Amino acid sequence: MSLTVEKSDRIARITLDRPPVNALTLQLYADIAELFESSSGWDDVNVIVLSGAGSRAFCAGLDLKEFMAATVEDDPGRGAVVRRTFAAVRNAAVPVIAAVNGPALGAGCVLASVCDIRIAADTATFGLPEINVGRCGGGAHIGRLVPQGALRRMFFTGRPIDAAEAFRIGLVDEVVPADQLAAAAGRLAAVIADKAPLGLRYGKQALNEIEFMPVEDGYAREQQYSTRLMATEDAREATRAVVEKRAPVFKGR
């Protein structure tokens, strides 16, 4: 089993578990895509935490042995599966936190980048080494987060950067000691898990849609989602709870 899922307290914890370094085969790509696509039906989940099993890697990228056996003719089909996988994570119905426990290289770096928030262990590294194995990297995704100079340096050198540098350039949002990673991700997930389910889902969809829109168009689209949310029971409950100075009780409708 290369993927495990645990749910509790409206948090789903998805773990890549393919020793030794959680490298991605075509089948694992497809399994990740199917799992995240199906997560839209998890009404008992408000947030997902994605991490890697073991201490050696978050995800070391594609499985090179499988890649060496592939042909140029295979590549368009493989590429479609890979694109589907990253789209499924980015478009998950609820926020996704990447808890990066070790090296996130190549496709592993891209996998972290398509999550909504990234928390890294101080021992984690990030890199786009595709140029070293005759490929191009995930510049389209990484470039959403970091300046072009930083992206191109990673891309053209193939050299990894440490967690502190990843934080400096904006690739990760927080760096914590390795032995505190799970707890830090859990605390953040718990805060998100307490929010209104529809608020999280509408907000996630709105943010994804407006990311590349002109500002005024994007804000108009965001207001449309806000109007839809205002009509829900949970929105009215949220307002009442603030006025009455109590914790809200959300029903997901």
Side-chain angles (χ1 to χ4, degrees):
M1 185 68 174
S2 298
L3 285 172
T4 63
V5 182
E6 298 178 358
K7 298 180 186 177
S8 64
D9 301 322
R10 305 196 70 82
I11 301 169
R13 292 173 175 82
I14 297 177
T15 304
L16 299 176
D17 190 3
R18 184 171 182 266
V21 292
N22 302 319
L24 298 170
T25 62
L26 194 62
Q27 183 60 57
L28 183 50
Y29 272 119
D31 290 344
I32 294 169
E34 290 174 8
L35 182 61
F36 274 88
E37 288 167 355
S38 69
S39 72
S40 62
W42 295 351
D43 295 334
D44 57 338
V45 168
N46 276 1
V47 60
I48 295 170
V49 177
L50 175 65
S51 193
S55 59
R56 292 190 59 182
F58 169 74
C59 174
L62 59 79
D63 185 301
L64 287 179
K65 291 181 180 178
E66 182 181 88
F67 168 66
M68 288 177 63
T71 66
V72 171
E73 289 74 21
D74 295 332
D75 210 50
R78 291 175 58 87
V81 174
V82 173
R83 290 194 302 275
R84 176 191 169 199
T85 300
F86 295 143
V89 177
R90 182 171 181 269
N91 295 317
V94 299
V96 182
I97 300 168
V100 185
N101 56 298
L105 304 176
C109 189
V110 177
L111 186 61
S113 80
V114 293
C115 297
D116 296 281
I117 302 167
R118 286 151 296 282
I119 302 177
D122 57 3
T123 53
T125 57
F126 299 81
L128 298 174
E130 283 86 349
I131 197 167
N132 297 329
V133 293
R135 298 287 283 182
C136 289
H141 288 294
I142 306 301
R144 294 169 44 242
L145 304 175
V146 308
Q148 278 292 306
L151 166 65
R152 290 170 189 244
R153 184 177 181 129
M154 292 175 68
F155 196 104
F156 294 137
T157 66
R159 294 174 179 171
I161 59 175
D162 62 20
E165 177 66 4
F167 177 77
R168 188 188 72 80
I169 65 176
L171 183 55
V172 301
D173 306 291
E174 183 179 359
V175 178
V176 300
D179 62 356
Q180 298 177 26
L181 177 64
R187 285 193 298 270
L188 179 59
V191 172
I192 296 172
D194 278 343
K195 306 304 180 186
L198 290 177
L200 292 170
R201 285 160 173 76
Y202 287 176
K204 171 70 180 281
Q205 192 168 351
L207 289 174
N208 276 10
E209 289 183 12
I210 70 176
E211 184 172 3
F212 300 109
M213 284 185 176
V215 172
E216 293 300 332
D217 293 341
Y219 187 49
R221 178 69 59 85
E222 192 173 9
Q223 285 182 320
Q224 293 172 4
Y225 278 99
S226 186
T227 299
R228 288 175 59 189
L229 184 60
M230 188 172 63
T232 67
E233 289 184 29
D234 279 354
R236 292 190 291 274
E237 166 62 9
T239 304
R240 283 194 300 268
V242 171
V243 171
E244 297 170 4
K245 298 181 179 179
R246 60 173 175 81
V249 179
F250 296 123
K251 299 179 180 178
R253 58 177 186 263

